[in-house]
């Protein structure tokens, strides 16, 4: 994940549930509406938080970036051993407030959704090979392995290089340039302020806690991707997106196309840091692929479409596609 120490406020355009200039209660109401269809349980839970003075009081005692719904619900699940409902969350805040606050302060939303590789693949496959992949906010490195996974784009199959890796399913909409094979990757590295280790049970447990209730398909995909990462051990460096990007990129082979990319990362830092990051990537001469909520990168008028979807852009200005935030569909812009 990105380093939150660079500022306690996100930019004006951020992830749903983490918007600056909006009260904590209103952020939770907006989040509840946004996720109601995908996760009715979390939709109800978010609305309950928005109306509960005691829970809101705990949240407002924390830095703003630690009030995010996804983080609160994952921390509650981590302590309870199961997803919270309004009653169990109220009891947790009432009886174990200090413990819950400690988890919120120590943890980050490091969702490592391997399915996002399916929406990155068409963009990666159009680049000159071999590729050198550098992912910012890499978590456990599951999205550093796009060439290992296999893919099913509504019947268009792409076979990855790891027979035991999961098949990622994604519905293409519009003229998606579906590749015939996975790209060749010569080098890969991740950057994260708190890297997770796919071989550590406690780290794997936290990643599962970040999933939403009832998402058995995502859980199974996560577990399969973690097994692949445990075998191949992608390197994720501990560091900061501005201070350490150039140092890590310097290790990439010069004959490879350097690709700097990220998904659901820059929404967690101030706009000033986003601008500095954009400058740093351009100075590297790298291809830059961002997969973020609408308005985080590029023109604000570009809409991601349905709630909780992303905009896939190249080099900060060329919109390639809109995508499902978990990689289940991609709509290519003609």
């Amino acid at each position: 994940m990105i380093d939150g120490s660079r500022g306690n406020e996100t930019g004006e355009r951020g992830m749903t549930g983490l918007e600056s200039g909006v009260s904590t209660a209103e952020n939770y109401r907006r989040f509840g509406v946004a996720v109601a269809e995908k996760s009715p349980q979390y939709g109800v839970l978010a609305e309950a938080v928005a109306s509960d003075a005691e829970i809101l009081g705990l949240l407002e005692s924390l830095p703003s970036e630690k009030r995010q719904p996804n983080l609160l619900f994952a921390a509650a699940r981590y302590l309870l051993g199961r997803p919270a409902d309004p009653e169990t969350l109220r009891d947790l805040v009432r009886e174990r407030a200090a413990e819950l606050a400690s988890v919120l302060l120590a943890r980050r939303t490091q969702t490592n959704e391997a399915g996002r590789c399916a929406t990155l693949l068409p963009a990666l496959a159009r680049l000159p090979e071999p590729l050198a992949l550098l992912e910012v906010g890499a978590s456990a490195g599951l999205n550093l392995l796009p060439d290992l996974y296999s893919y099913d784009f509504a019947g268009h199959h792409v076979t990855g290089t790891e027979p035991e890796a999961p098949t990622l399913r994604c519905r293409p909409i519009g003229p998606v340039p579906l590749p015939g094979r996975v790209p060749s990757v010569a080098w890969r590295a991740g950057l994260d302020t708190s890297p997770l280790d796919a071989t550590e049970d406690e780290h794997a447990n936290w990643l599962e806690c970040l999933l939403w209730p009832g998402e058995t398909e995502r859980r199974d995909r996560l577990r399969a991707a973690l097994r692949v990462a445990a075998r191949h051990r992608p390197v994720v460096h501990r560091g900061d997106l501005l201070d350490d990007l150039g140092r890590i990129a310097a290790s990439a082979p010069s004959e490879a196309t350097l690709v700097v990319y990220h998904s659901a990362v820059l929404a967690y830092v101030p706009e000033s840091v986003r601008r500095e990051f954009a400058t740093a990537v351009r100075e590297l001469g790298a291809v830059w692929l961002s997969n973020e909520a609408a308005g985080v990168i590029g023109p604000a008028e570009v809409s991601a479409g349905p709630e909780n979807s992303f905009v896939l852009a190249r080099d900060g200005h060329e919109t390639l596609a809109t995508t499902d935030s978990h990689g289940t569909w991609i709509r290519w812009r003609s």
Side-chain angles (χ1 to χ4, degrees), residues 193-207:
T193 58
S194 301
L196 299 181
D197 187 339
T199 67
E200 293 285 340
D201 290 343
E202 191 266 342
H203 291 184
N205 178 40
W206 176 244
L207 289 174

Side-chain angles (χ1 to χ4, degrees), residues 16-252:
T16 303
L18 193 61
E19 299 176 55
S20 63
V22 176
S23 71
T24 303
E26 182 59 24
N27 262 316
Y28 272 78
R29 289 192 182 93
R30 293 184 184 186
F31 180 85
V33 171
V35 306
E37 185 175 344
K38 278 191 173 184
S39 180
Q41 184 172 341
Y42 273 2
V44 169
L45 187 57
E47 180 57 39
V49 171
S51 304
D52 191 292
E54 191 169 3
I55 300 175
L56 290 172
L58 173 66
L59 290 169
E60 287 165 5
S61 72
L62 303 171
S64 60
E65 72 273 12
K66 296 297 183 178
R67 303 172 194 168
Q68 189 199 9
N70 277 336
L71 182 59
L72 173 63
F73 299 162
R77 183 172 181 173
Y78 182 79
L79 292 175
L80 295 169
R82 63 188 185 281
D85 57 35
E87 183 177 354
T88 57
L89 182 58
R90 289 188 187 103
D91 288 343
L92 184 64
V93 170
R94 203 170 292 126
E95 299 166 9
R96 304 166 67 185
E99 191 177 2
L100 178 58
S102 178
V103 174
L104 289 167
L105 290 169
R107 296 286 182 176
R108 293 179 171 88
T109 49
Q110 293 179 282
T111 303
N112 212 184
E113 176 50 72
R116 291 169 178 159
C117 283
T119 54
L120 290 168
L121 185 70
L124 292 173
R126 301 169 80 193
L127 302 176
E129 298 179 31
L131 304 181
L133 303 179
L134 202 174
E135 186 189 9
V136 175
S139 188
L142 305 188
N143 287 327
L144 280 167
L145 310 172
D147 53 322
L148 274 63
Y149 304 124
S150 292
Y151 301 85
D152 180 355
F153 292 96
H156 178 94
H157 297 277
V158 182
T159 302
T161 61
E162 168 59 85
E164 296 184 38
T167 296
L168 308 179
R169 291 173 173 80
C170 179
R171 178 168 58 94
I173 305 169
V176 182
L178 298 175
R181 60 176 179 82
V182 294
S184 172
V185 177
W187 178 90
R188 70 189 88 221
L191 174 61
D192 200 292
T193 58
S194 301
L196 299 181
D197 187 339
T199 67
E200 293 285 340
D201 290 343
E202 191 266 342
H203 291 184
N205 178 40
W206 176 244
L207 289 174
E208 283 206 25
C209 286
L210 288 162
L211 302 180
W212 295 353
E215 293 186 317
T216 55
E217 185 175 348
R218 287 189 69 201
R219 180 203 63 198
D220 294 345
R221 184 165 61 240
L222 172 63
R223 291 177 178 177
L226 283 168
R227 289 193 293 270
V228 173
R231 286 194 296 272
H232 291 268
R233 305 301 296 268
V235 176
V236 180
H237 299 270
R238 185 180 301 275
D240 174 78
L241 80 167
L242 296 180
D243 297 338
D244 299 292
L245 183 69
R247 173 180 61 82
I248 295 170
S251 298

Side-chain angles (χ1 to χ4, degrees), residues 304-327:
E307 287 281 6
N308 210 39
S309 52
F310 289 167
V311 174
L312 177 64
R314 174 171 172 167
D315 298 331
H317 59 81
E318 180 186 357
T319 300
L320 301 178
T322 53
T323 70
D324 174 63
S325 60
H326 296 150

